[in-house]
PDB file of all heavy atoms in Angstrom:
ATOM      1  N   GLY A   1      -2.724  15.583 -10.659  1.00  0.00           N
ATOM      2  CA  GLY A   1      -1.579  15.557 -11.608  1.00  0.00           C
ATOM      3  C   GLY A   1      -0.401  14.852 -10.980  1.00  0.00           C
ATOM      4  O   GLY A   1       0.367  14.071 -11.656  1.00  0.00           O
ATOM      5  N   TYR A   2      -0.202  15.178  -9.714  1.00  0.00           N
ATOM      6  CA  TYR A   2       0.951  14.600  -8.957  1.00  0.00           C
ATOM      7  C   TYR A   2       0.821  13.119  -8.785  1.00  0.00           C
ATOM      8  O   TYR A   2       1.704  12.352  -9.059  1.00  0.00           O
ATOM      9  CB  TYR A   2       1.117  15.322  -7.616  1.00  0.00           C
ATOM     10  CG  TYR A   2       2.276  14.802  -6.770  1.00  0.00           C
ATOM     11  CD1 TYR A   2       3.576  15.279  -6.997  1.00  0.00           C
ATOM     12  CD2 TYR A   2       2.081  13.813  -5.832  1.00  0.00           C
ATOM     13  CE1 TYR A   2       4.646  14.753  -6.229  1.00  0.00           C
ATOM     14  CE2 TYR A   2       3.095  13.314  -5.031  1.00  0.00           C
ATOM     15  CZ  TYR A   2       4.430  13.817  -5.186  1.00  0.00           C
ATOM     16  OH  TYR A   2       5.436  13.307  -4.475  1.00  0.00           O
ATOM     17  N   ASP A   3      -0.386  12.735  -8.374  1.00  0.00           N
ATOM     18  CA  ASP A   3      -0.657  11.283  -8.187  1.00  0.00           C
ATOM     19  C   ASP A   3      -0.484  10.509  -9.562  1.00  0.00           C
ATOM     20  O   ASP A   3      -0.045   9.343  -9.527  1.00  0.00           O
ATOM     21  CB  ASP A   3      -2.073  11.100  -7.738  1.00  0.00           C
ATOM     22  CG  ASP A   3      -2.360  11.500  -6.292  1.00  0.00           C
ATOM     23  OD1 ASP A   3      -1.287  11.703  -5.566  1.00  0.00           O
ATOM     24  OD2 ASP A   3      -3.530  11.644  -5.887  1.00  0.00           O
ATOM     25  N   SER A   4      -0.780  11.112 -10.634  1.00  0.00           N
ATOM     26  CA  SER A   4      -0.793  10.471 -11.946  1.00  0.00           C
ATOM     27  C   SER A   4       0.656  10.603 -12.647  1.00  0.00           C
ATOM     28  O   SER A   4       0.738  10.083 -13.754  1.00  0.00           O
ATOM     29  CB  SER A   4      -1.801  11.066 -12.859  1.00  0.00           C
ATOM     30  OG  SER A   4      -3.107  11.006 -12.229  1.00  0.00           O
ATOM     31  N   LYS A   5       1.627  11.281 -12.042  1.00  0.00           N
ATOM     32  CA  LYS A   5       2.897  11.584 -12.658  1.00  0.00           C
ATOM     33  C   LYS A   5       2.709  12.116 -14.028  1.00  0.00           C
ATOM     34  O   LYS A   5       3.260  11.752 -15.030  1.00  0.00           O
ATOM     35  CB  LYS A   5       3.703  10.274 -12.723  1.00  0.00           C
ATOM     36  CG  LYS A   5       4.095   9.684 -11.321  1.00  0.00           C
ATOM     37  CD  LYS A   5       4.985   8.526 -11.406  1.00  0.00           C
ATOM     38  CE  LYS A   5       5.407   8.022 -10.036  1.00  0.00           C
ATOM     39  NZ  LYS A   5       6.244   6.828 -10.042  1.00  0.00           N
ATOM     40  N   VAL A   6       1.861  13.153 -14.078  1.00  0.00           N
ATOM     41  CA  VAL A   6       1.469  13.782 -15.340  1.00  0.00           C
ATOM     42  C   VAL A   6       2.605  14.294 -16.120  1.00  0.00           C
ATOM     43  O   VAL A   6       2.583  14.261 -17.355  1.00  0.00           O
ATOM     44  CB  VAL A   6       0.378  14.865 -15.019  1.00  0.00           C
ATOM     45  CG1 VAL A   6       1.097  16.030 -14.273  1.00  0.00           C
ATOM     46  CG2 VAL A   6      -0.285  15.355 -16.330  1.00  0.00           C
ATOM     47  N   TRP A   7       3.680  14.684 -15.530  1.00  0.00           N
ATOM     48  CA  TRP A   7       4.887  15.181 -16.188  1.00  0.00           C
ATOM     49  C   TRP A   7       5.436  14.182 -17.200  1.00  0.00           C
ATOM     50  O   TRP A   7       6.247  14.580 -18.026  1.00  0.00           O
ATOM     51  CB  TRP A   7       5.878  15.731 -15.220  1.00  0.00           C
ATOM     52  CG  TRP A   7       6.249  14.639 -14.166  1.00  0.00           C
ATOM     53  CD1 TRP A   7       7.227  13.706 -14.291  1.00  0.00           C
ATOM     54  CD2 TRP A   7       5.655  14.503 -12.864  1.00  0.00           C
ATOM     55  NE1 TRP A   7       7.241  12.888 -13.157  1.00  0.00           N
ATOM     56  CE2 TRP A   7       6.299  13.388 -12.316  1.00  0.00           C
ATOM     57  CE3 TRP A   7       4.693  15.201 -12.232  1.00  0.00           C
ATOM     58  CZ2 TRP A   7       5.954  12.914 -11.026  1.00  0.00           C
ATOM     59  CZ3 TRP A   7       4.374  14.728 -10.901  1.00  0.00           C
ATOM     60  CH2 TRP A   7       4.980  13.626 -10.334  1.00  0.00           C
ATOM     61  N   GLU A   8       5.162  12.958 -16.951  1.00  0.00           N
ATOM     62  CA  GLU A   8       5.761  11.935 -17.849  1.00  0.00           C
ATOM     63  C   GLU A   8       5.014  11.888 -19.171  1.00  0.00           C
ATOM     64  O   GLU A   8       5.507  11.321 -20.182  1.00  0.00           O
ATOM     65  CB  GLU A   8       5.632  10.532 -17.227  1.00  0.00           C
ATOM     66  CG  GLU A   8       6.436  10.329 -15.918  1.00  0.00           C
ATOM     67  CD  GLU A   8       6.270   8.985 -15.349  1.00  0.00           C
ATOM     68  OE1 GLU A   8       5.562   8.224 -15.854  1.00  0.00           O
ATOM     69  OE2 GLU A   8       7.028   8.725 -14.352  1.00  0.00           O
ATOM     70  N   SER A   9       3.865  12.567 -19.299  1.00  0.00           N
ATOM     71  CA  SER A   9       3.044  12.568 -20.514  1.00  0.00           C
ATOM     72  C   SER A   9       2.731  13.949 -21.051  1.00  0.00           C
ATOM     73  O   SER A   9       2.635  14.167 -22.277  1.00  0.00           O
ATOM     74  CB  SER A   9       1.811  11.797 -20.286  1.00  0.00           C
ATOM     75  OG  SER A   9       2.067  10.515 -19.862  1.00  0.00           O
ATOM     76  N   LEU A  10       2.447  14.901 -20.146  1.00  0.00           N
ATOM     77  CA  LEU A  10       2.019  16.216 -20.593  1.00  0.00           C
ATOM     78  C   LEU A  10       3.070  17.345 -20.139  1.00  0.00           C
ATOM     79  O   LEU A  10       3.969  17.029 -19.409  1.00  0.00           O
ATOM     80  CB  LEU A  10       0.628  16.532 -19.917  1.00  0.00           C
ATOM     81  CG  LEU A  10      -0.436  15.481 -20.253  1.00  0.00           C
ATOM     82  CD1 LEU A  10      -1.806  15.937 -19.711  1.00  0.00           C
ATOM     83  CD2 LEU A  10      -0.560  15.130 -21.675  1.00  0.00           C
ATOM     84  N   THR A  11       2.812  18.480 -20.698  1.00  0.00           N
ATOM     85  CA  THR A  11       3.915  19.516 -20.494  1.00  0.00           C
ATOM     86  C   THR A  11       3.391  20.786 -19.808  1.00  0.00           C
ATOM     87  O   THR A  11       4.190  21.501 -19.317  1.00  0.00           O
ATOM     88  CB  THR A  11       4.447  19.859 -21.880  1.00  0.00           C
ATOM     89  OG1 THR A  11       3.333  20.320 -22.760  1.00  0.00           O
ATOM     90  CG2 THR A  11       5.208  18.744 -22.501  1.00  0.00           C
ATOM     91  N   HIS A  12       2.122  21.100 -19.912  1.00  0.00           N
ATOM     92  CA  HIS A  12       1.563  22.399 -19.393  1.00  0.00           C
ATOM     93  C   HIS A  12       0.471  22.244 -18.391  1.00  0.00           C
ATOM     94  O   HIS A  12      -0.331  21.252 -18.510  1.00  0.00           O
ATOM     95  CB  HIS A  12       1.006  23.237 -20.628  1.00  0.00           C
ATOM     96  CG  HIS A  12       2.138  23.702 -21.570  1.00  0.00           C
ATOM     97  ND1 HIS A  12       2.792  22.907 -22.408  1.00  0.00           N
ATOM     98  CD2 HIS A  12       2.541  24.952 -21.783  1.00  0.00           C
ATOM     99  CE1 HIS A  12       3.698  23.578 -23.147  1.00  0.00           C
ATOM    100  NE2 HIS A  12       3.507  24.822 -22.806  1.00  0.00           N
ATOM    101  N   PHE A  13       0.488  23.155 -17.383  1.00  0.00           N
ATOM    102  CA  PHE A  13      -0.654  23.211 -16.516  1.00  0.00           C
ATOM    103  C   PHE A  13      -1.015  24.697 -16.360  1.00  0.00           C
ATOM    104  O   PHE A  13      -0.280  25.538 -16.050  1.00  0.00           O
ATOM    105  CB  PHE A  13      -0.323  22.734 -15.114  1.00  0.00           C
ATOM    106  CG  PHE A  13      -1.415  22.881 -14.081  1.00  0.00           C
ATOM    107  CD1 PHE A  13      -2.536  21.998 -14.061  1.00  0.00           C
ATOM    108  CD2 PHE A  13      -1.403  23.944 -13.176  1.00  0.00           C
ATOM    109  CE1 PHE A  13      -3.505  22.126 -13.152  1.00  0.00           C
ATOM    110  CE2 PHE A  13      -2.460  24.059 -12.203  1.00  0.00           C
ATOM    111  CZ  PHE A  13      -3.515  23.194 -12.233  1.00  0.00           C
ATOM    112  N   TYR A  14      -2.321  24.979 -16.727  1.00  0.00           N
ATOM    113  CA  TYR A  14      -2.901  26.295 -16.601  1.00  0.00           C
ATOM    114  C   TYR A  14      -3.830  26.444 -15.417  1.00  0.00           C
ATOM    115  O   TYR A  14      -4.819  25.682 -15.270  1.00  0.00           O
ATOM    116  CB  TYR A  14      -3.661  26.603 -17.924  1.00  0.00           C
ATOM    117  CG  TYR A  14      -2.769  26.724 -19.116  1.00  0.00           C
ATOM    118  CD1 TYR A  14      -2.547  25.579 -19.930  1.00  0.00           C
ATOM    119  CD2 TYR A  14      -2.147  27.929 -19.431  1.00  0.00           C
ATOM    120  CE1 TYR A  14      -1.658  25.653 -20.981  1.00  0.00           C
ATOM    121  CE2 TYR A  14      -1.239  27.955 -20.469  1.00  0.00           C
ATOM    122  CZ  TYR A  14      -0.984  26.838 -21.269  1.00  0.00           C
ATOM    123  OH  TYR A  14      -0.146  26.867 -22.361  1.00  0.00           O
ATOM    124  N   ASP A  15      -3.473  27.332 -14.529  1.00  0.00           N
ATOM    125  CA  ASP A  15      -4.137  27.394 -13.217  1.00  0.00           C
ATOM    126  C   ASP A  15      -5.398  28.236 -13.363  1.00  0.00           C
ATOM    127  O   ASP A  15      -5.551  29.396 -12.980  1.00  0.00           O
ATOM    128  CB  ASP A  15      -3.241  28.140 -12.232  1.00  0.00           C
ATOM    129  CG  ASP A  15      -3.683  28.010 -10.756  1.00  0.00           C
ATOM    130  OD1 ASP A  15      -4.608  27.221 -10.578  1.00  0.00           O
ATOM    131  OD2 ASP A  15      -3.138  28.579  -9.903  1.00  0.00           O
ATOM    132  N   VAL A  16      -6.475  27.617 -14.036  1.00  0.00           N
ATOM    133  CA  VAL A  16      -7.698  28.279 -14.347  1.00  0.00           C
ATOM    134  C   VAL A  16      -8.563  28.546 -13.144  1.00  0.00           C
ATOM    135  O   VAL A  16      -9.250  29.559 -13.069  1.00  0.00           O
ATOM    136  CB  VAL A  16      -8.436  27.409 -15.360  1.00  0.00           C
ATOM    137  CG1 VAL A  16      -9.844  28.022 -15.674  1.00  0.00           C
ATOM    138  CG2 VAL A  16      -7.682  27.234 -16.624  1.00  0.00           C
ATOM    139  N   GLN A  17      -8.413  27.670 -12.142  1.00  0.00           N
ATOM    140  CA  GLN A  17      -9.233  27.819 -10.904  1.00  0.00           C
ATOM    141  C   GLN A  17     -10.719  27.896 -11.193  1.00  0.00           C
ATOM    142  O   GLN A  17     -11.418  28.734 -10.786  1.00  0.00           O
ATOM    143  CB  GLN A  17      -8.805  28.975 -10.052  1.00  0.00           C
ATOM    144  CG  GLN A  17      -7.325  28.927  -9.657  1.00  0.00           C
ATOM    145  CD  GLN A  17      -6.911  29.956  -8.638  1.00  0.00           C
ATOM    146  OE1 GLN A  17      -7.774  30.670  -7.995  1.00  0.00           O
ATOM    147  NE2 GLN A  17      -5.631  30.114  -8.433  1.00  0.00           N
ATOM    148  N   ALA A  18     -11.196  26.886 -12.008  1.00  0.00           N
ATOM    149  CA  ALA A  18     -12.522  26.846 -12.364  1.00  0.00           C
ATOM    150  C   ALA A  18     -13.518  26.499 -11.322  1.00  0.00           C
ATOM    151  O   ALA A  18     -14.689  27.061 -11.214  1.00  0.00           O
ATOM    152  CB  ALA A  18     -12.723  25.835 -13.591  1.00  0.00           C
ATOM    153  N   TRP A  19     -13.183  25.622 -10.443  1.00  0.00           N
ATOM    154  CA  TRP A  19     -14.005  25.202  -9.342  1.00  0.00           C
ATOM    155  C   TRP A  19     -13.199  24.396  -8.328  1.00  0.00           C
ATOM    156  O   TRP A  19     -12.036  24.109  -8.588  1.00  0.00           O
ATOM    157  CB  TRP A  19     -15.286  24.395  -9.806  1.00  0.00           C
ATOM    158  CG  TRP A  19     -14.931  23.176 -10.515  1.00  0.00           C
ATOM    159  CD1 TRP A  19     -14.261  22.075 -10.165  1.00  0.00           C
ATOM    160  CD2 TRP A  19     -15.257  22.968 -12.004  1.00  0.00           C
ATOM    161  NE1 TRP A  19     -14.199  21.045 -11.148  1.00  0.00           N
ATOM    162  CE2 TRP A  19     -14.788  21.603 -12.298  1.00  0.00           C
ATOM    163  CE3 TRP A  19     -15.913  23.643 -12.968  1.00  0.00           C
ATOM    164  CZ2 TRP A  19     -14.922  21.089 -13.529  1.00  0.00           C
ATOM    165  CZ3 TRP A  19     -16.106  23.102 -14.182  1.00  0.00           C
ATOM    166  CH2 TRP A  19     -15.614  21.786 -14.484  1.00  0.00           C
ATOM    167  N   ILE A  20     -13.847  24.182  -7.121  1.00  0.00           N
ATOM    168  CA  ILE A  20     -13.201  23.316  -6.142  1.00  0.00           C
ATOM    169  C   ILE A  20     -14.191  22.237  -5.786  1.00  0.00           C
ATOM    170  O   ILE A  20     -15.119  22.404  -5.015  1.00  0.00           O
ATOM    171  CB  ILE A  20     -12.927  24.211  -4.870  1.00  0.00           C
ATOM    172  CG1 ILE A  20     -11.862  25.323  -5.206  1.00  0.00           C
ATOM    173  CG2 ILE A  20     -12.375  23.337  -3.733  1.00  0.00           C
ATOM    174  CD1 ILE A  20     -11.549  26.207  -3.976  1.00  0.00           C
ATOM    175  N   PRO A  21     -13.933  21.053  -6.338  1.00  0.00           N
ATOM    176  CA  PRO A  21     -14.833  19.887  -6.073  1.00  0.00           C
ATOM    177  C   PRO A  21     -14.522  19.378  -4.678  1.00  0.00           C
ATOM    178  O   PRO A  21     -13.510  19.565  -4.108  1.00  0.00           O
ATOM    179  CB  PRO A  21     -14.441  18.927  -7.174  1.00  0.00           C
ATOM    180  CG  PRO A  21     -12.972  19.164  -7.470  1.00  0.00           C
ATOM    181  CD  PRO A  21     -12.881  20.672  -7.250  1.00  0.00           C
ATOM    182  N   LYS A  22     -15.477  18.590  -4.227  1.00  0.00           N
ATOM    183  CA  LYS A  22     -15.359  18.012  -2.885  1.00  0.00           C
ATOM    184  C   LYS A  22     -15.704  16.478  -2.873  1.00  0.00           C
ATOM    185  O   LYS A  22     -16.490  16.020  -3.611  1.00  0.00           O
ATOM    186  CB  LYS A  22     -16.233  18.740  -1.850  1.00  0.00           C
ATOM    187  CG  LYS A  22     -15.789  20.146  -1.499  1.00  0.00           C
ATOM    188  CD  LYS A  22     -16.712  20.759  -0.448  1.00  0.00           C
ATOM    189  CE  LYS A  22     -18.043  21.131  -0.974  1.00  0.00           C
ATOM    190  NZ  LYS A  22     -18.058  22.248  -1.878  1.00  0.00           N
ATOM    191  N   ASP A  23     -14.964  15.846  -1.936  1.00  0.00           N
ATOM    192  CA  ASP A  23     -15.236  14.390  -1.773  1.00  0.00           C
ATOM    193  C   ASP A  23     -16.124  14.310  -0.537  1.00  0.00           C
ATOM    194  O   ASP A  23     -15.865  14.954   0.441  1.00  0.00           O
ATOM    195  CB  ASP A  23     -13.971  13.625  -1.527  1.00  0.00           C
ATOM    196  CG  ASP A  23     -13.291  13.153  -2.784  1.00  0.00           C
ATOM    197  OD1 ASP A  23     -13.597  13.777  -3.872  1.00  0.00           O
ATOM    198  OD2 ASP A  23     -12.435  12.211  -2.788  1.00  0.00           O
ATOM    199  N   ALA A  24     -17.055  13.355  -0.630  1.00  0.00           N
ATOM    200  CA  ALA A  24     -17.935  13.105   0.538  1.00  0.00           C
ATOM    201  C   ALA A  24     -17.650  11.732   1.147  1.00  0.00           C
ATOM    202  O   ALA A  24     -17.453  10.773   0.400  1.00  0.00           O
ATOM    203  CB  ALA A  24     -19.457  13.155   0.164  1.00  0.00           C
ATOM    204  N   THR A  25     -17.566  11.675   2.432  1.00  0.00           N
ATOM    205  CA  THR A  25     -17.407  10.446   3.137  1.00  0.00           C
ATOM    206  C   THR A  25     -18.707  10.162   3.897  1.00  0.00           C
ATOM    207  O   THR A  25     -19.305  11.052   4.593  1.00  0.00           O
ATOM    208  CB  THR A  25     -16.248  10.458   4.233  1.00  0.00           C
ATOM    209  OG1 THR A  25     -15.096  10.672   3.505  1.00  0.00           O
ATOM    210  CG2 THR A  25     -16.169   9.160   4.932  1.00  0.00           C
ATOM    211  N   PHE A  26     -19.325   8.971   3.700  1.00  0.00           N
ATOM    212  CA  PHE A  26     -20.687   8.655   4.182  1.00  0.00           C
ATOM    213  C   PHE A  26     -20.743   7.258   4.744  1.00  0.00           C
ATOM    214  O   PHE A  26     -19.843   6.446   4.476  1.00  0.00           O
ATOM    215  CB  PHE A  26     -21.695   8.891   3.148  1.00  0.00           C
ATOM    216  CG  PHE A  26     -21.300   8.538   1.729  1.00  0.00           C
ATOM    217  CD1 PHE A  26     -21.082   7.132   1.396  1.00  0.00           C
ATOM    218  CD2 PHE A  26     -21.042   9.472   0.737  1.00  0.00           C
ATOM    219  CE1 PHE A  26     -20.751   6.805   0.131  1.00  0.00           C
ATOM    220  CE2 PHE A  26     -20.658   9.114  -0.544  1.00  0.00           C
ATOM    221  CZ  PHE A  26     -20.538   7.743  -0.805  1.00  0.00           C
ATOM    222  N   VAL A  27     -21.868   6.945   5.366  1.00  0.00           N
ATOM    223  CA  VAL A  27     -22.015   5.658   5.962  1.00  0.00           C
ATOM    224  C   VAL A  27     -23.446   5.106   5.649  1.00  0.00           C
ATOM    225  O   VAL A  27     -24.338   5.935   5.446  1.00  0.00           O
ATOM    226  CB  VAL A  27     -21.864   5.740   7.551  1.00  0.00           C
ATOM    227  CG1 VAL A  27     -22.849   6.643   8.160  1.00  0.00           C
ATOM    228  CG2 VAL A  27     -21.930   4.356   8.170  1.00  0.00           C
ATOM    229  N   ASN A  28     -23.507   3.808   5.476  1.00  0.00           N
ATOM    230  CA  ASN A  28     -24.837   3.177   5.293  1.00  0.00           C
ATOM    231  C   ASN A  28     -25.701   3.493   6.539  1.00  0.00           C
ATOM    232  O   ASN A  28     -25.288   3.185   7.706  1.00  0.00           O
ATOM    233  CB  ASN A  28     -24.643   1.655   5.145  1.00  0.00           C
ATOM    234  CG  ASN A  28     -26.028   0.920   4.994  1.00  0.00           C
ATOM    235  OD1 ASN A  28     -26.679   0.717   5.977  1.00  0.00           O
ATOM    236  ND2 ASN A  28     -26.340   0.541   3.802  1.00  0.00           N
ATOM    237  N   LYS A  29     -26.883   4.141   6.351  1.00  0.00           N
ATOM    238  CA  LYS A  29     -27.603   4.567   7.504  1.00  0.00           C
ATOM    239  C   LYS A  29     -28.126   3.371   8.406  1.00  0.00           C
ATOM    240  O   LYS A  29     -28.084   3.574   9.654  1.00  0.00           O
ATOM    241  CB  LYS A  29     -28.795   5.425   7.036  1.00  0.00           C
ATOM    242  CG  LYS A  29     -29.487   6.205   8.078  1.00  0.00           C
ATOM    243  CD  LYS A  29     -30.534   7.088   7.576  1.00  0.00           C
ATOM    244  CE  LYS A  29     -31.242   7.942   8.671  1.00  0.00           C
ATOM    245  NZ  LYS A  29     -31.725   7.107   9.776  1.00  0.00           N
ATOM    246  N   ALA A  30     -28.467   2.378   7.866  1.00  0.00           N
ATOM    247  CA  ALA A  30     -28.931   1.161   8.625  1.00  0.00           C
ATOM    248  C   ALA A  30     -27.820   0.660   9.506  1.00  0.00           C
ATOM    249  O   ALA A  30     -28.001   0.259  10.649  1.00  0.00           O
ATOM    250  CB  ALA A  30     -29.564   0.109   7.757  1.00  0.00           C
ATOM    251  N   ALA A  31     -26.626   0.560   8.882  1.00  0.00           N
ATOM    252  CA  ALA A  31     -25.471   0.095   9.654  1.00  0.00           C
ATOM    253  C   ALA A  31     -25.121   1.029  10.800  1.00  0.00           C
ATOM    254  O   ALA A  31     -24.799   0.639  11.899  1.00  0.00           O
ATOM    255  CB  ALA A  31     -24.258  -0.077   8.712  1.00  0.00           C
ATOM    256  N   PHE A  32     -25.215   2.297  10.562  1.00  0.00           N
ATOM    257  CA  PHE A  32     -24.884   3.350  11.611  1.00  0.00           C
ATOM    258  C   PHE A  32     -25.976   3.283  12.659  1.00  0.00           C
ATOM    259  O   PHE A  32     -25.651   3.298  13.871  1.00  0.00           O
ATOM    260  CB  PHE A  32     -24.936   4.773  10.953  1.00  0.00           C
ATOM    261  CG  PHE A  32     -24.625   5.902  11.917  1.00  0.00           C
ATOM    262  CD1 PHE A  32     -23.350   6.199  12.234  1.00  0.00           C
ATOM    263  CD2 PHE A  32     -25.627   6.576  12.469  1.00  0.00           C
ATOM    264  CE1 PHE A  32     -23.036   7.144  13.112  1.00  0.00           C
ATOM    265  CE2 PHE A  32     -25.375   7.596  13.430  1.00  0.00           C
ATOM    266  CZ  PHE A  32     -24.076   7.866  13.736  1.00  0.00           C
ATOM    267  N   ASP A  33     -27.216   3.140  12.272  1.00  0.00           N
ATOM    268  CA  ASP A  33     -28.333   3.127  13.280  1.00  0.00           C
ATOM    269  C   ASP A  33     -28.312   1.920  14.208  1.00  0.00           C
ATOM    270  O   ASP A  33     -28.762   1.960  15.343  1.00  0.00           O
ATOM    271  CB  ASP A  33     -29.693   3.200  12.581  1.00  0.00           C
ATOM    272  CG  ASP A  33     -29.924   4.539  11.936  1.00  0.00           C
ATOM    273  OD1 ASP A  33     -29.284   5.551  12.318  1.00  0.00           O
ATOM    274  OD2 ASP A  33     -30.834   4.668  11.102  1.00  0.00           O
ATOM    275  N   ALA A  34     -27.660   0.865  13.692  1.00  0.00           N
ATOM    276  CA  ALA A  34     -27.578  -0.383  14.427  1.00  0.00           C
ATOM    277  C   ALA A  34     -26.440  -0.345  15.472  1.00  0.00           C
ATOM    278  O   ALA A  34     -26.414  -1.205  16.375  1.00  0.00           O
ATOM    279  CB  ALA A  34     -27.271  -1.587  13.476  1.00  0.00           C
ATOM    280  N   LEU A  35     -25.666   0.668  15.476  1.00  0.00           N
ATOM    281  CA  LEU A  35     -24.518   0.760  16.397  1.00  0.00           C
ATOM    282  C   LEU A  35     -25.093   1.382  17.757  1.00  0.00           C
ATOM    283  O   LEU A  35     -26.081   2.109  17.776  1.00  0.00           O
ATOM    284  CB  LEU A  35     -23.482   1.752  15.978  1.00  0.00           C
ATOM    285  CG  LEU A  35     -22.716   1.251  14.685  1.00  0.00           C
ATOM    286  CD1 LEU A  35     -21.898   2.420  14.150  1.00  0.00           C
ATOM    287  CD2 LEU A  35     -21.940   0.037  14.913  1.00  0.00           C
ATOM    288  N   ASP A  36     -24.421   1.099  18.900  1.00  0.00           N
ATOM    289  CA  ASP A  36     -24.801   1.677  20.080  1.00  0.00           C
ATOM    290  C   ASP A  36     -24.409   3.212  20.093  1.00  0.00           C
ATOM    291  O   ASP A  36     -23.642   3.657  19.247  1.00  0.00           O
ATOM    292  CB  ASP A  36     -24.154   1.093  21.362  1.00  0.00           C
ATOM    293  CG  ASP A  36     -22.617   1.077  21.233  1.00  0.00           C
ATOM    294  OD1 ASP A  36     -22.078   2.133  21.447  1.00  0.00           O
ATOM    295  OD2 ASP A  36     -22.007   0.007  20.923  1.00  0.00           O
ATOM    296  N   LYS A  37     -25.074   4.011  20.986  1.00  0.00           N
ATOM    297  CA  LYS A  37     -24.851   5.491  20.885  1.00  0.00           C
ATOM    298  C   LYS A  37     -23.384   5.861  21.103  1.00  0.00           C
ATOM    299  O   LYS A  37     -22.932   6.799  20.453  1.00  0.00           O
ATOM    300  CB  LYS A  37     -25.735   6.146  21.948  1.00  0.00           C
ATOM    301  CG  LYS A  37     -25.725   7.683  21.728  1.00  0.00           C
ATOM    302  CD  LYS A  37     -26.704   8.333  22.676  1.00  0.00           C
ATOM    303  CE  LYS A  37     -26.835   9.834  22.377  1.00  0.00           C
ATOM    304  NZ  LYS A  37     -25.540  10.511  22.384  1.00  0.00           N
ATOM    305  N   SER A  38     -22.694   5.180  21.970  1.00  0.00           N
ATOM    306  CA  SER A  38     -21.246   5.617  22.199  1.00  0.00           C
ATOM    307  C   SER A  38     -20.431   5.417  20.923  1.00  0.00           C
ATOM    308  O   SER A  38     -19.587   6.307  20.670  1.00  0.00           O
ATOM    309  CB  SER A  38     -20.666   4.905  23.376  1.00  0.00           C
ATOM    310  OG  SER A  38     -20.569   3.472  22.957  1.00  0.00           O
ATOM    311  N   THR A  39     -20.677   4.406  20.193  1.00  0.00           N
ATOM    312  CA  THR A  39     -19.978   4.159  18.956  1.00  0.00           C
ATOM    313  C   THR A  39     -20.372   5.212  17.906  1.00  0.00           C
ATOM    314  O   THR A  39     -19.552   5.718  17.131  1.00  0.00           O
ATOM    315  CB  THR A  39     -20.228   2.766  18.348  1.00  0.00           C
ATOM    316  OG1 THR A  39     -19.819   1.881  19.442  1.00  0.00           O
ATOM    317  CG2 THR A  39     -19.352   2.481  17.178  1.00  0.00           C
ATOM    318  N   GLN A  40     -21.665   5.497  17.816  1.00  0.00           N
ATOM    319  CA  GLN A  40     -22.147   6.498  16.851  1.00  0.00           C
ATOM    320  C   GLN A  40     -21.493   7.870  17.210  1.00  0.00           C
ATOM    321  O   GLN A  40     -21.045   8.566  16.294  1.00  0.00           O
ATOM    322  CB  GLN A  40     -23.711   6.660  16.956  1.00  0.00           C
ATOM    323  CG  GLN A  40     -24.500   5.454  16.411  1.00  0.00           C
ATOM    324  CD  GLN A  40     -25.996   5.697  16.609  1.00  0.00           C
ATOM    325  OE1 GLN A  40     -26.424   6.574  17.358  1.00  0.00           O
ATOM    326  NE2 GLN A  40     -26.782   4.851  15.978  1.00  0.00           N
ATOM    327  N   ASP A  41     -21.502   8.242  18.532  1.00  0.00           N
ATOM    328  CA  ASP A  41     -20.882   9.467  18.913  1.00  0.00           C
ATOM    329  C   ASP A  41     -19.365   9.541  18.550  1.00  0.00           C
ATOM    330  O   ASP A  41     -18.854  10.563  18.144  1.00  0.00           O
ATOM    331  CB  ASP A  41     -21.034   9.698  20.398  1.00  0.00           C
ATOM    332  CG  ASP A  41     -22.487   9.996  20.829  1.00  0.00           C
ATOM    333  OD1 ASP A  41     -23.306  10.283  19.851  1.00  0.00           O
ATOM    334  OD2 ASP A  41     -22.806   9.842  22.030  1.00  0.00           O
TER     335      ASP A  41
END
């Protein structure tokens, strides 16, 4: 809501606390495997 400046368009926020989603950070496995061990570590 903050990132979107939601207050410029909407008026209410209800703190329902329905769930907590997560973002995953990942790497192409072939690219990772091609690195030397010190870089992988």
Side-chain angles (χ1 to χ4, degrees):
Y2 180 83
D3 289 345
S4 305
K5 296 184 178 180
V6 66
W7 53 85
E8 294 180 355
S9 304
L10 307 185
T11 55
H12 291 68
F13 177 79
Y14 293 91
D15 195 11
V16 177
Q17 299 189 13
W19 56 65
I20 296 179
K22 290 185 285 292
D23 275 21
T25 298
F26 38 69
V27 60
N28 178 283
K29 192 173 183 305
F32 181 84
D33 290 345
L35 298 170
D36 60 73
K37 189 174 186 305
S38 64
T39 304
Q40 291 178 347
D41 289 344

